[in-house]
Every structure is written in structure tokens, then in C-alpha cells.
Amino acid sequence: MMTIWPAPAKLNLFMYITGRRLDGYHNLQTLFQFIDYSDLIEIKVNDSGHINLITKLIDIPKENNLIVKAAKLLKLAAKKYLLINSGATISIRKKLPIGSGLGSGSSNAATILVALNYLWKTKFTINQLAELGLQLGADVPLFIHGYSAFAEGVGEKLRRVNIKQKWYLITYPNININTSDIFSSNNLTRNTKYCNMNQLLKLPFTNDCENLVRSNFVEIDSIISSLSRYAPTRLTGTGSCVFSECNNKQDAYDLMKLIPKYAVGFIAKGINMSPLHTVLSRIIHTTS
């Protein structure tokens, strides 16, 4: 039986870098919210013992794809409990651009861990899956836990929050940005003052990566400058996507008419619970 699982996008409503760690990573303070816009991952488990990703993604060899890595990681972690011949055939309907700051790869990895944990009956808890996911990327635990959160550390220390569910115009400038290029830049701001969550929620939201990205990519600078005249507009994560906060869905559609021809846009609503967990609950309910 084939099952279909969403891998949703996230926005960083704000992101501050408070220092650089000895291991080269950065200490962050960021506010994550999901949006109702997702990749869809199709999974059919089998007894082949192999993980087969049948969708080809440009510029990503299968062995480097986080989908394959996540499946193999779960299988290795569960080798004491899992039948040796458990396998899966996986395909993906890709909607989230890679290198866009929407969490595309991390979300895909989290969905694979959550879905195969259920389908293979490996019975790891959400916290255990999040610990596994952290090996694949700092954002993976967010997608595994599945709720909007204030995050610290490298992004793995999560505190659940309920955020107003606004409508957003998301603008993708057809540019893919490598996160490591931004975090390794000498021009990145790394000394933002640490504040507690309640203080940060009362301050205007900004992103410490935005000035650097705007200085390196004139197209992104132009989009933010243009759309900011009509709605609060910021970079998400390390980019390249830009999001504009709108009062309602119609305002978002009206704003989308203003994006440049070299970019593409879509409308999404902020949500505080990941659709991945909604699907998991529905599947558990229907099969119990």
C-alpha cells in the first residue's frame, strides 16, 4: 500500500545570531512557523531491504539526498528491532525550492523519519526521532516535533509557541543559496545581543542574514525594497525566499501582482501545527 505524507515549509519570522561556537556552528534565536504549503512524499514499504528514491532531483546525487540519508539512518538505529529485509520505494512531488530558506531538505528528512517510523513499526518516540534528525540538520527536529516554536542553540532547542496565523506572499527569486556560504561569510552579523523570548516577541522582527544576502543578490534586495512599501517583508532563514505579511488572502493576491517577472510567488497561511502530524494522526485513527 502506498501512503502520501506532507513535508511542509517553514518561515523564520525572525532570526538573530548571538555568537559563533567553537565547533563552527552559530548560536541562534529564531521564531519558526509552518505554512500550509508542502512537498508530498509517496512511500511504499516492501521487503527488498533497499531504499529506492525513484524521483530524480537536479544537482543532488541520490546518495546525498536527505530523504535517502534519513531512511538509512532510521534503519541503522532500529537494526535491533527491524526486520533485516525492510525497505521502501519513495517518490516526491517537489514544490519547495531547494536553497530557499523554507526548510525543504530538512522537512523531507523529518517526514521520512516520522513516516517510516510508523510504517516500519520501529516505535521510536518523537524525542528519539528528533535526536536522530539532528544528525541530518539543525532544522530537522523542528519538523519532527511539528509545532511552531521559538528556537535557540543551533535551532534544536525548541519552545512551543502559538503565533498569529497570518497570510503570506512568498516570493522565490529563482536563486538557490547555500546556507554554509552565508554562515561562513566574514560579513555576517554574529554579535546580536541575547534577549529572552518574551522580549524578542515585543520587538520588531528582523533577520541578521538579510543585509548580507541583499548585498550579495541584487534581485533579492530589489524584491524586498519593492514589496516593503506595501507590507512587512523579510528574508526567511538564510534565503533566498522573501515573505510578506498580509492582512488577508486577497491582500496577498493583490501584492503578488507586483513581484518581478524573474521571480515566482505563491500564497500560504501560517499554521501552528504541521500537516505531517495531522496526516499521521488520521492514518493511526483509520487503521486502529
Side-chain angles (χ1 to χ4, degrees):
M1 182 181 69
M2 183 185 71
T3 54
I4 301 175
W5 304 79
K10 57 81 179 169
L11 297 177
N12 295 83
L13 299 185
F14 62 66
M15 191 165 81
Y16 308 117
I17 304 171
T18 58
R20 195 169 196 169
R21 298 155 43 123
L22 294 177
D23 61 8
Y25 288 95
H26 292 77
N27 285 318
L28 308 176
Q29 292 188 289
T30 188
L31 185 64
F32 288 116
Q33 187 177 36
F34 293 101
I35 55 175
D36 61 350
Y37 193 82
S38 304
D39 289 341
L40 293 176
I41 297 179
E42 301 175 354
I43 303 174
K44 187 173 184 179
V45 296
N46 55 51
D47 57 2
S48 70
H50 301 292
I51 308 300
N52 184 21
L53 176 63
I54 61 176
T55 304
K56 293 182 180 180
L57 298 176
I58 299 173
D59 298 330
I60 302 181
K62 286 186 179 180
E63 61 274 15
N64 293 334
N65 192 296
L66 284 176
I67 290 174
V68 176
K69 286 186 172 182
K72 290 182 175 180
L73 179 64
L74 181 67
K75 189 168 183 177
L76 180 63
K79 61 182 178 181
K80 293 180 181 179
Y81 320 103
L82 190 62
L83 294 175
I84 195 66
N85 60 348
S86 292
T89 298
I90 304 168
S91 62
I92 180 169
R93 303 178 207 170
K94 196 73 185 155
K95 293 172 66 178
L96 307 183
I98 297 167
S100 63
L102 297 177
S104 171
S106 295
S107 185
N108 291 169
T111 292
I112 289 297
L113 289 173
V114 170
L116 287 180
N117 183 56
Y118 170 76
L119 295 169
W120 282 346
K121 298 179 171 58
T122 48
K123 298 181 180 179
F124 286 110
T125 67
I126 289 294
N127 287 337
Q128 289 170 329
L129 289 177
E131 289 178 12
L132 281 177
L134 188 58
Q135 299 177 43
L136 300 170
D139 286 351
V140 178
L142 167 81
F143 291 102
I144 290 173
H145 284 289
Y147 49 74
S148 293
F150 172 70
E152 295 186 297
V154 296
E156 86 288 6
K157 298 177 182 177
L158 302 172
R159 180 175 172 183
R160 187 170 187 162
V161 292
N162 283 316
I163 305 167
K164 186 175 180 180
Q165 299 183 153
K166 298 180 180 180
W167 285 96
Y168 297 99
L169 166 65
I170 316 295
T171 305
Y172 174 57
N174 279 299
I175 295 170
N176 297 341
I177 296 179
N178 189 319
T179 296
S180 62
D181 290 343
I182 300 302
F183 278 123
S184 63
S185 173
N186 291 329
N187 296 319
L188 179 65
T189 298
R190 297 182 172 91
N191 59 351
T192 296
K193 181 182 176 182
Y194 179 90
C195 296
N196 65 45
M197 183 185 77
N198 290 332
Q199 289 175 304
L200 292 175
L201 292 174
K202 295 175 182 176
L203 296 172
F205 292 177
T206 57
N207 181 339
D208 282 345
C209 297
E210 185 173 304
N211 287 339
L212 174 62
V213 170
R214 293 179 71 170
S215 66
N216 288 346
F217 299 94
V218 64
E219 301 93 337
I220 296 174
D221 179 62
S222 176
I223 290 169
I224 295 176
S225 295
S226 174
L227 297 183
S228 291
R229 300 172 190 167
Y230 307 97
T233 300
R234 297 186 297 284
L235 191 77
T236 178
T238 56
S240 61
C241 272
V242 169
F243 66 98
S244 304
E245 298 178 7
C246 300
N247 294 322
N248 52 60
K249 189 175 185 180
Q250 186 57 53
D251 284 355
Y253 275 109
D254 290 342
L255 189 61
M256 189 162 64
K257 299 172 185 176
L258 302 178
I259 65 174
K261 292 182 179 180
Y262 60 79
V264 294
F266 63 89
I267 309 302
K269 190 175 184 180
I271 52 176
N272 289 320
M273 178 61 69
S274 168
L276 171 62
H277 286 274
T278 302
V279 168
L280 177 62
S281 297
R282 186 170 66 241
I283 290 175
I284 291 173
H285 177 74
T286 28
T287 56
S288 60

